[in-house]
Amino acid sequence: MKGSKKRVVSKPSSSRTIVKANPNDNKSVTIEPPIVSSYNDQIRPLLDTVDRMRNLNVMKEGIQLPTIVVVGDQSSGKSSVLESLAGISLPRGQGICTRVPLVMRLQGSTSSEPEIWLEYSDKVVQTDEEHIAEAIYAATDVIAGSSKGVSDAPLTPPREESWGS
């Protein structure tokens, strides 16, 4: 491409960049960073398969599925690890913030915005990225009480068949 300069036109999402090869041409190309491309091509299909197997309750038959567990002392960075994996903000503050086990399930979606659902105390609640921390605080208060109590009852993503109910 001698004589033409590539320039970034826009960044519609954190994982893609639109580039114009020639400023005088209206054609643009969407480029994914190699790590995103590798994730989408190689890792995402495996995670989707694990989710489908989990939905079939194969663990009840003794089949072990991959799981990541984050354990540590208070304020040791557990929520930061989960934030990095999921790409969402979790509750932050002084003292004990996450007072119940938090179970997360990351699934592929055609939507550009993440769909975030919480299931607790026989409720299924939809929230968004902007309000996830508040939703987790509210759910935690229902599960563990409004003081600084803790509970072993988890805050979980709902089963797919209960979404939107």
Side-chain angles (χ1 to χ4, degrees), residues 106-131:
L106 307 179
Q107 296 179 305
S109 174
T110 56
S111 172
S112 61
E113 293 297 317
E115 295 178 15
I116 302 172
W117 300 81
L118 304 175
E119 184 173 18
Y120 59 95
S121 301
D122 297 324
K123 293 183 190 177
V124 176
V125 177
Q126 184 176 16
T127 187
D128 58 28
E129 213 170 346
E130 186 177 333
H131 299 99

Side-chain angles (χ1 to χ4, degrees), residues 6-109:
K6 289 186 179 181
R7 66 182 177 98
V8 174
V9 175
S10 65
K11 289 189 175 191
S13 75
S14 61
S15 64
R16 291 191 176 111
T17 303
I18 296 178
V19 176
K20 281 202 172 189
N22 182 345
N24 299 324
D25 190 356
N26 285 334
K27 295 179 185 175
S28 59
V29 178
T30 302
I31 300 173
E32 288 185 333
I35 193 159
V36 172
S37 178
S38 174
Y39 174 83
N40 288 336
D41 294 343
Q42 297 175 11
I43 298 170
R44 182 79 257 162
L46 294 172
L47 294 175
D48 291 341
T49 300
V50 168
D51 282 333
R52 284 192 297 276
M53 293 176 70
R54 187 170 282 120
N55 288 335
L56 293 171
N57 293 318
V58 298
M59 293 176 78
K60 289 181 180 177
E61 302 298 323
I63 298 172
Q64 297 298 313
L65 297 177
T67 303
I68 297 173
V69 178
V70 182
V71 180
D73 291 332
Q74 181 179 326
S75 300
S76 63
K78 298 176 297 293
S79 292
S80 296
V81 169
L82 293 174
E83 283 180 341
S84 294
L85 291 171
I88 60 172
S89 295
L90 296 172
R92 297 245 178 223
Q94 297 292 333
I96 301 174
C97 291
T98 312
R99 301 181 290 125
V100 299
L102 178 61
V103 179
M104 301 172 75
R105 184 181 316 129
L106 307 179
Q107 296 179 305
S109 174

